Amino acid sequence: CGPYGDGMSAEQTWDRRIGAWASSRSRFSLPSALTVGALQIGGQILAAHGQHGGPGQRPLDVLAFGLLAVGPAALIVRRQGPRIVLVLVMTATVLYYLLGYPNGPAFLSLIVALFTTVMGGHRLFAWITAVVGLVAYAGAAPVVGLTSQTSPIDYLGVTAWLLVVLIGSEASRVRRDGWVVADNSRREEGRRRATEERLQIARDLHDELAHNISLINVR
């Protein structure tokens, strides 16, 4: 046995704990949503103060705070309906930036929604939603007069940011699936060894009984 008492290494023990945490689909939805909401809204307030209201930039108002709160509120039920939550969060995030509010961490809930959707197995939907959101923003920006504030470099930055989030989510999903496969393999190996041990005990018992019966017959 290893130092953890069941023959598993530290990495295997950690993998099992992470897999057990991931299987609890809604245990931490509310606390994590509240945390994301506090970081997103608080960070956006600080970012707005730091920008001092640039040219053509709208100050934070009731609508802005409403859009900032939609994402974290939707994250509460992200395990039950990841695709619907992703659409709501993407819509709120795109609208926030299209309305010309200050730049900042208004996208934190979108990161969580994309990650949850990919981890939930809806990989294609997550990629399509990201592309649609990016195209919608790029197409609507000239209509609402944001072309003067947004350069091609900004679009490339947003595209790169979305790719990092999606690729990171895919990597996490692959590793989680690897944890599940490895855990199932360990369990199957344990069952196989237990069966072999029982068969060996049965054979030994059978041989011992046969030997004793032969001795009795001889006597």
Side-chain angles (χ1 to χ4, degrees), residues 194-210:
T195 301
E196 290 178 353
E197 290 177 0
R198 286 194 294 267
L199 289 174
Q200 184 62 41
I201 292 173
R203 284 193 295 265
D204 294 342
L205 181 60
H206 176 270
D207 294 342
E208 185 66 23
L209 289 175

Side-chain angles (χ1 to χ4, degrees), residues 37-66:
L39 292 174
Q40 180 166 296
I41 296 175
Q44 195 61 59
I45 293 174
L46 294 176
H49 281 297
Q51 295 174 41
H52 302 293
Q57 189 178 85
R58 294 179 58 175
L60 295 177
D61 51 20
V62 176
L63 178 57
F65 285 111

Side-chain angles (χ1 to χ4, degrees), residues 23-39:
S23 64
S24 58
R25 299 187 61 79
S26 59
R27 186 189 306 175
F28 299 110
S29 292
L30 180 57
S32 60
L34 293 176
T35 302
V36 171
L39 292 174

